[in-house]
Amino acid sequence: MKKIISLLLAVMLMATVFAACSSSKTDSTESTGAKAEADAGKTYNIGICQLVQHPALDAATQGFKDYLTDKLGDSVKFNEQNANGDSPTCTTIANQFVADNVDLILGNATPALQAAFTATDKIPVLGTSITDYGTALDISDWTGVSGFNVSGTSDLAPLDGQADIIKELFPDAKTIGLLYCSAEPNSKYQCDTISQYLGDYELKTYTFADSNDIASVVTSACEEVDVIYIPTDNSAASNTGIIDNIALEKKIPIVTGEEGICSGCGVATLSISYYDLGTATGEMAYDILVNGADISKMEVKFAPATTKKYDAARAEALGIEIPAGYEAIEVEAAE
């Protein structure tokens, strides 16, 4: 009899344990389901700080927004701010994003990235249209991965390839002028680097502080050189009209670091697609926000392709024959 009672008690105990386990499993399943439902209803708030409005940066921002909107629809919201070329304004914008506790910050151009990086060490910060992250973040032993809350995409087209364009189009040139804004360290980096590939030419450097002195600096350059090279410089991109008026009158051709500047004042460029660059940055943002990727371990990405391009009207005006292998920059129709 005792054995029967013991057996019944054992069966009852097992049933109780099984029921508890089943309950725990059900609770866990319901909890996971609730979490999935909560994630599905989440809205991702992204702050975008763009240094200045010009075609290259505009295209990068648009590519970034289009990718995330396509993936997340109404679940992503953008607070897009333009600093109008003023670095202190970038700081104000970044600090406000931090105060708003956004889920991610996009810094479009170096000062915007630097401002966001300074403002927070917690919120993920992605950069785009950044030439060199080591220079931008003041990291001397840059390896391609930051180790902290910053990553992004670089707009650096191969500088040896840009030097090759100068050699190909202007084999008889003697003096090359390197023109950039002294306030943009990435522009200096590009000009210092491309100098290594232009050893057969005499090189002269011309820097301007801002739009107030660009006309006088460009005028001096045009009186002393045969060709001007302008890197991916935001200040130059915002003042191509001034540069173009002077250089065309002086019959001095300009090779540029990207298509937007080329269409404004240049003859030829080895360029990337800034829209595609923005799209690649959007992919990184999605991986961080939705898949939980660790930004501190994400390698900086580069544009997948480069294209030789030229401005047909300006080449004709300067009497420059463009060889095969160059693609004409599309001219926007007047409204």
Side-chain angles (χ1 to χ4, degrees):
M1 186 66 178
K2 290 182 178 180
K3 289 184 178 179
I4 293 174
I5 293 173
S6 298
L7 181 60
L8 288 173
L9 288 173
V11 171
M12 290 173 65
L13 179 62
M14 290 178 64
T16 302
V17 171
F18 179 78
C21 290
S22 297
S23 175
S24 175
K25 184 176 180 181
T26 300
D27 291 344
S28 175
T29 301
E30 289 176 353
S31 175
T32 302
K35 183 178 185 302
E37 185 177 346
D39 288 345
K42 178 177 174 57
T43 296
Y44 299 98
N45 293 297
I46 297 178
I48 299 175
C49 178
Q50 182 173 316
L51 174 64
V52 68
Q53 184 176 8
H54 66 68
L57 300 190
D58 293 347
T61 293
Q62 194 62 53
F64 177 81
K65 291 168 60 180
D66 286 352
Y67 181 87
L68 288 173
T69 301
D70 179 64
K71 288 291 186 180
L72 298 172
D74 293 337
S75 295
V76 62
K77 304 296 181 185
F78 302 103
N79 182 352
E80 186 176 350
Q81 301 292 326
N82 192 297
N84 296 312
D86 184 58
S87 295
T89 301
C90 289
T91 299
T92 301
I93 293 169
N95 286 335
Q96 186 59 55
F97 288 159
V98 174
D100 293 341
N101 195 29
V102 297
D103 296 298
L104 183 142
I105 298 173
L106 174 71
N108 191 347
T110 298
L113 173 70
Q114 291 170 327
F117 169 58
T118 302
T120 179
D121 61 358
K122 300 291 190 300
I123 298 172
V125 175
L126 286 175
T128 191
S129 312
I130 312 296
T131 302
D132 178 66
Y133 280 77
T135 300
L137 302 175
D138 195 24
I139 300 175
S140 58
D141 57 346
W142 176 251
T143 62
V145 177
S146 73
F148 36 79
N149 64 316
V150 178
S151 190
T153 56
S154 170
D155 63 353
L156 181 62
L159 291 165
D160 55 345
Q162 295 182 37
D164 287 343
I165 286 180
I166 295 174
K167 297 173 184 178
E168 182 177 36
L169 297 182
F170 310 105
D172 298 326
K174 305 297 182 185
T175 305
I176 308 296
L178 307 175
L179 176 70
Y180 63 92
C181 177
S182 57
E184 298 192 33
N186 276 311
S187 297
K188 182 180 186 303
Y189 167 83
Q190 290 174 79
C191 287
D192 288 348
T193 303
I194 200 172
S195 296
Q196 302 171 27
Y197 305 109
L198 296 172
D200 294 336
Y201 299 94
E202 179 185 357
L203 302 177
K204 292 188 175 184
T205 299
Y206 300 88
T207 63
F208 55 92
D210 51 41
S211 59
N212 294 321
D213 64 343
I214 192 169
S216 61
V217 173
V218 173
T219 299
S220 296
C222 289
E223 292 172 350
E224 298 172 356
V225 305
D226 302 309
V227 179
I228 291 175
Y229 171 74
I230 302 176
T232 55
D233 184 281
N234 294 300
S235 299
S238 300
N239 292 278
T240 55
I242 296 173
I243 298 170
D244 189 42
N245 289 337
I246 298 169
L248 269 182
E249 182 181 351
K250 300 288 187 180
K251 301 295 184 183
I252 299 299
I254 298 174
V255 173
T256 72
E258 58 93 10
E259 181 179 340
I261 302 177
C262 188
S263 63
C265 66
V267 170
T269 182
L270 180 65
S271 190
I272 65 169
S273 165
Y274 276 80
Y275 183 87
D276 290 348
L277 195 70
T279 298
T281 317
E283 291 177 0
M284 296 175 76
Y286 183 87
D287 205 18
I288 294 164
L289 295 171
V290 179
N291 299 328
D294 184 351
I295 190 172
S296 69
K297 298 178 181 178
M298 298 179 78
E299 289 191 7
V300 166
K301 294 183 178 181
F302 292 82
T306 57
T307 306
K308 287 182 175 181
K309 292 195 171 185
Y310 74 102
D311 185 282
R314 201 168 285 111
E316 183 178 358
L318 294 172
I320 299 170
E321 184 175 346
I322 303 296
Y326 286 75
E327 178 182 315
I329 295 173
E330 293 184 9
V331 179
E332 293 185 5
E335 294 183 359

